[in-house]
Amino acid sequence: MKLVLASKNAHKLVEMRDILSQLGVEVVLESDVGVDVDVEETGTTFEENAFLKAHAVMEASGLPAIADDSGLCVDALGGAPGVYSARYGGPELDDAGRYRLLLENLRGQLDRRGKFVSAICCCFPNGDRVEARGECPGTIAYAPMGEGGFGYDPVFFLPGLKKTFAQLTPEEKNAVSHRGAALRAFREKLEVYLKK
Ligand code: IMP
């Protein structure tokens, strides 16, 4: 089965392919099926936004579409940046600008707890939906460390591993990450759905 990933993020494609290839599911990008949909993420929850993205790409392509909406929720900031993680600080900031702003907003803050959340939604042309959620707790480092990954990876520290997400190999990150957890839960649900 072919699933269209409602995203232009190649990092997400790699993470999704790794986990879903075991089910014999082929994940392709919107551009691979000639679709380019710009979806406004107007939802107030990760679940709503994942649905908005998957539904729009399913409608445009006529194929089952999968979307992930994810973000970083920081306790001391009341859950921010949350669903606004990709837009934190405004459109002129890049990934490094966003994590620097986060560090700035946490300056002097000793409570560094936070979690990454990922909500996955798959919409089928017949109206069916398969959804899953994953979380990964950690802390916000005091300074960036590591070169891998994307987004807030250099400042998201895993006390158990004593490393940031950016210091993990893609396989190590998949094993502990919010998206890895959500995708494994999703894979199980999809397996049950496909057997129906
Ligand atoms: P989305 O593409 O709308 O889901 O935006 C999610 C945003 O959350 C990304 O742009 C990143 O800033 C952040 N994010 C989500 N997952 C990760 C991750 O695994 N590592 C680092 N940042 C992430």
Side-chain angles (χ1 to χ4, degrees):
M1 187 184 61
K2 195 181 267 189
L3 281 188
V4 185
L5 174 61
S7 172
K8 295 167 184 83
N9 184 332
H11 290 279
K12 285 189 183 178
L13 179 71
V14 172
E15 293 181 6
M16 294 220 176
R17 273 191 177 152
D18 260 14
I19 291 176
L20 294 180
S21 62
Q22 298 162 23
L23 264 194
V25 169
E26 186 196 354
V27 187
V28 299
L29 280 175
E30 295 172 42
S31 50
D32 297 329
V33 294
V35 165
D36 183 9
V37 189
D38 242 331
V39 184
E40 256 203 90
E41 296 183 21
T42 51
T44 54
T45 63
F46 296 110
E47 279 78 4
E48 269 179 73
N49 283 335
F51 169 73
L52 288 173
K53 291 189 266 189
H55 191 258
V57 171
M58 179 276 288
E59 294 257 270
S61 65
L63 293 167
I66 181 173
D68 145 274
D69 195 60
S70 49
L72 177 60
C73 304
V74 178
D75 291 12
L77 301 176
V83 291
Y84 303 106
S85 293
R87 294 165 274 173
Y88 193 47
E92 63 284 353
L93 292 187
D94 58 6
D95 277 354
R98 279 185 283 275
Y99 71 61
R100 284 197 204 104
L101 174 65
L102 180 68
L103 294 182
E104 189 55 38
N105 289 341
L106 284 174
R107 196 202 286 250
Q109 177 58 254
L110 295 179
D111 178 3
R112 315 285 298 186
R113 289 170 300 171
K115 63 180 178 186
F116 265 118
V117 177
S118 163
I120 289 175
C121 179
C122 182
C123 290
F124 293 86
N126 67 0
D128 286 349
R129 237 196 260 186
V130 177
E131 294 171 300
R133 179 187 176 98
E135 296 191 357
C136 177
T139 63
I140 310 307
Y142 287 88
M145 289 180 286
E147 306 295 328
F150 69 101
Y152 299 88
D153 279 355
V155 298
F156 188 73
F157 187 75
L158 298 158
L161 297 177
K162 296 193 172 61
K163 284 181 179 172
T164 65
F165 264 179
Q167 292 174 306
L168 301 180
T169 64
E171 294 73 29
E172 287 170 333
K173 184 180 167 187
N174 264 347
V176 295
S177 78
H178 50 310
R179 197 166 305 102
L183 278 169
R184 283 186 292 275
F186 173 76
R187 185 179 58 196
E188 281 180 25
K189 290 186 176 181
L190 184 64
E191 203 167 7
V192 171
Y193 172 80
L194 292 176
K195 279 188 189 145
K196 268 198 215 159

